[in-house]
Amino acid sequence: MLEAFGLSDPGCIRSNNEDYFISDSRSGVFIVADGMGGANAGEYASRLSAETLYEFLLNSSEDNSLGNLEQGFANANSAVRTASLEGPEFDGMGTTLVAVRVVDDFHMQIGNVGDSRAYCLSAGELSLLTKDHTWVTEVGSRLGLTDDALRRHPMRHVLTMAIGVSDEIRVNSHVFSVFSGDQILLCCDGLHGVVEEEILRDTLNSEKSLPEKAHYLVEAAKERGGPDNITVVLIRIL
């Protein structure tokens, strides 16, 4: 048993929202996508990728393997690649994609491409479930730079992998255990790139309801300038 709540906001700078999320407690599938591209291409890419993955997982719900989850990501990538050929306004569009799927009462699967993240709060401690496909994570961290230098590096937002940008993708995926009271946070970099992890942890640890927590986190990002779209999906294991 679980409960969930999702919220998305354009932030303080952008007039459009290129994020897209799906929160389906009944099927146990939760997805966040952060689109990129000119005009409306980012919005199209994020929605198309999330809905393609979601429909695939619903239609293959008897297969809970990681391979099945990764195939859903591959299908989403193919869908965005194909759609990018529909007109010059869609050329080069792409999106990040992170998804969580319930396997059973004690396990969930996670997959991600790009830098949208998933965190887990368990026994009061916050841990990162995903690994970013970014220059900082995959290249910069091997150069011996300090954490503070990496956080400020001009290439910190440069993606090394995204849905729709190449024929082949690398999906980070694994299974993790969950326990009663645990909370899962899915979010785009409009949240985790702006709000400190201590704030994320303290908010999830608070007595607020899931909707209150989601709204609080969105407002925290906006108080810090809200430079990007902000999307939050919260899941609590009952």
Side-chain angles (χ1 to χ4, degrees):
M1 294 286 292
L2 54 81
E3 62 174 334
F5 182 81
L7 180 65
S8 191
D9 189 281
C12 300
I13 305 299
R14 300 187 176 183
S15 59
N16 63 324
N17 192 343
E18 295 183 327
D19 290 354
Y20 190 84
F21 75 88
I22 293 173
S23 177
D24 185 351
S25 299
R26 178 170 294 183
S27 69
V29 174
F30 306 90
I31 301 170
V32 167
D34 179 356
M36 55 192 181
N40 296 321
E43 296 174 27
Y44 187 24
S46 60
R47 177 175 57 82
L48 178 60
S49 67
E51 291 183 348
T52 299
L53 174 58
Y54 177 63
E55 292 299 328
F56 176 82
L57 295 179
L58 289 186
N59 293 328
S60 60
S61 58
E62 294 182 359
D63 184 352
N64 282 330
S65 67
L66 280 176
N68 176 258
L69 178 66
E70 292 179 0
Q71 183 59 52
F73 274 77
N75 288 6
N77 185 64
S78 296
V80 175
R81 293 284 286 169
T82 299
S84 69
L85 303 175
E86 293 178 356
E89 69 272 24
F90 299 128
D91 183 43
M93 71 179 179
T95 182
T96 70
L97 193 61
V98 60
V100 166
R101 173 170 64 167
V102 174
V103 176
D104 55 40
D105 290 342
F106 305 103
H107 300 91
M108 301 178 82
Q109 294 174 340
I110 182 125
N112 80 285
V113 172
D115 65 350
S116 288
R117 290 182 177 180
Y119 294 88
C120 179
L121 183 86
S122 186
E125 295 300 320
L126 188 70
S127 60
L128 180 61
L129 296 172
T130 50
K131 182 178 180 180
D132 295 344
H133 288 113
T134 59
W135 183 91
V136 162
T137 299
E138 299 191 341
V139 179
S141 59
R142 297 198 296 267
L143 299 179
L145 301 175
T146 65
D147 289 343
D148 185 62
L150 290 174
R151 281 193 295 269
R152 299 172 183 273
H153 199 281
M155 294 184 67
R156 65 189 179 278
H157 296 304
V158 175
L159 296 179
T160 56
M161 181 62 56
I163 296 291
V165 300
S166 64
D167 290 333
E168 300 295 327
I169 58 170
R170 292 178 286 113
V171 183
N172 296 325
S173 66
H174 62 95
V175 177
F176 62 98
S177 300
V178 291
F179 305 93
S180 178
D182 285 1
Q183 295 175 69
I184 312 300
L185 165 65
L186 303 184
C187 63
C188 64
D189 66 342
L191 180 72
H192 72 74
V194 178
V195 178
E196 303 86 345
E197 288 194 358
E198 292 81 3
I199 301 297
L200 305 184
R201 181 198 62 210
D202 292 347
T203 302
L204 296 187
N205 267 322
S206 72
E207 296 301 318
K208 296 180 175 68
S209 66
L210 292 190
E212 289 172 336
K213 291 177 181 181
H215 282 280
Y216 183 88
L217 291 174
V218 167
E219 289 305 313
K222 293 170 74 173
E223 288 173 1
R224 289 159 176 78
D228 202 351
N229 305 148
I230 311 155
T231 298
V232 175
V233 172
L234 289 170
I235 309 157
R236 176 160 36 208
I237 311 301
L238 302 177

